[in-house]
């Protein structure tokens, strides 16, 4: 029986490689987003920790705390913007990955359908050959029966 050979196998391999590359890019974007979220949470925790001023603090300490809180607040704003950008990039990567998966699945479906058609055709050829052998055997037996009478 002949082996099935998919004519578009190279295309399928290329699409698989592109999908794998998109998966890596997506995971990388996802980890960058998680790092930005962790940084933002750390900054917010630090802000909350130093936000409340103790009663026995000097004016200089209050100014230092105020400057520090302003710096943290600025960092929070920048990190929030950065996180927003990373979320947009992540969403673009997600859409790209979905598209690559659809493209791959399209070719895989085509491959499966062609393989099924090939196997069906091979089974029909094999069945025809078996039918012919059975018919020849029947005719031979019939001749033997007529000749043997």
């Amino acid at each position: 029986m002949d082996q099935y050979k998919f004519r578009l196998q190279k295309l399928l391999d290329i699409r698989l490689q592109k999908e794998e590359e998109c998966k890596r890019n997506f995971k990388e974007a996802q980890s960058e987003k998680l790092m930005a979220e962790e940084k933002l949470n750390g900054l917010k925790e630090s802000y909350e920790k130093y936000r409340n001023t103790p009663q026995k603090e000097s004016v200089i300490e209050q100014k230092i705390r105020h400057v520090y809180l302003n710096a943290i607040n600025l960092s929070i704003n920048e990190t929030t913007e950065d996180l927003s950008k990373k979320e947009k990039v992540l969403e673009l990567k997600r859409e790209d990955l979905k598209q690559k998966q659809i493209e791959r699945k399209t070719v895989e479906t085509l491959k499966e359908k062609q393989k099924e058609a090939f196997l069906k055709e091979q089974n029909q050829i094999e069945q025809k050959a078996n039918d012919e052998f059975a018919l020849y055997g029947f005719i031979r037996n019939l001749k033997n029966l007529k000749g043997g009478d």
Side-chain angles (χ1 to χ4, degrees):
M1 192 161 141
D2 294 330
Q3 287 292 338
Y4 174 70
K5 186 150 181 107
F6 185 53
R7 293 186 327 252
L8 300 175
Q9 186 62 44
K10 286 185 181 181
L11 176 65
L12 181 59
D13 293 342
I14 290 170
R15 291 200 175 166
L16 280 169
Q17 288 174 344
K18 286 184 178 183
E19 182 183 352
E20 289 302 316
E21 183 180 336
C22 279
K23 282 181 184 178
R24 283 190 300 273
N25 291 339
F26 176 75
K27 286 180 183 176
E28 186 178 304
Q30 197 171 30
S31 67
E32 287 178 9
K33 178 188 165 259
L34 288 174
M35 289 186 338
E37 285 176 342
E38 289 173 4
K39 180 180 177 185
L40 181 61
N41 289 336
L43 288 169
K44 286 181 178 180
E45 286 174 9
S46 181
Y47 183 82
E48 288 299 318
K49 181 179 177 182
Y50 293 105
R51 187 178 73 162
N52 298 326
T53 58
Q55 298 294 333
K56 301 175 183 174
E57 199 172 60
S58 70
V59 175
I60 295 173
E61 289 172 330
Q62 287 178 358
K63 280 192 172 193
I64 291 172
R65 179 185 301 275
H66 182 70
V67 169
Y68 178 70
L69 290 174
N70 283 340
I72 289 179
N73 202 18
L74 184 63
S75 291
I76 288 173
N77 292 338
E78 289 173 358
T79 306
T80 303
E81 288 177 24
D82 187 44
L83 179 60
S84 175
K85 289 176 186 175
K86 289 185 182 201
E87 286 173 343
K88 288 177 185 175
V89 167
L90 182 64
E91 195 56 38
L92 290 173
K93 303 265 183 193
R94 179 178 284 120
E95 291 301 318
D96 190 33
L97 178 58
K98 283 181 187 177
Q99 186 61 37
K100 298 294 187 225
Q101 287 175 333
I102 289 169
E103 290 171 0
R104 175 193 49 88
K105 287 179 182 179
T106 302
V107 178
E108 277 185 348
T109 303
L110 181 62
K111 179 181 180 178
E112 291 301 317
K113 286 183 179 180
Q114 286 182 0
K115 187 174 184 177
E116 286 177 18
F118 173 79
L119 292 175
K120 186 176 179 181
E121 183 181 331
Q122 291 299 312
N123 288 338
Q124 287 175 345
I125 292 170
E126 187 177 331
Q127 186 62 44
K128 269 187 180 179
N130 289 341
D131 290 346
E132 285 181 22
F133 291 139
L135 182 62
Y136 292 144
F138 177 75
I139 291 172
R140 196 172 343 133
N141 288 339
L142 191 60
K143 284 183 183 179
N144 288 341
L145 287 177
K146 285 185 181 179
D149 282 339

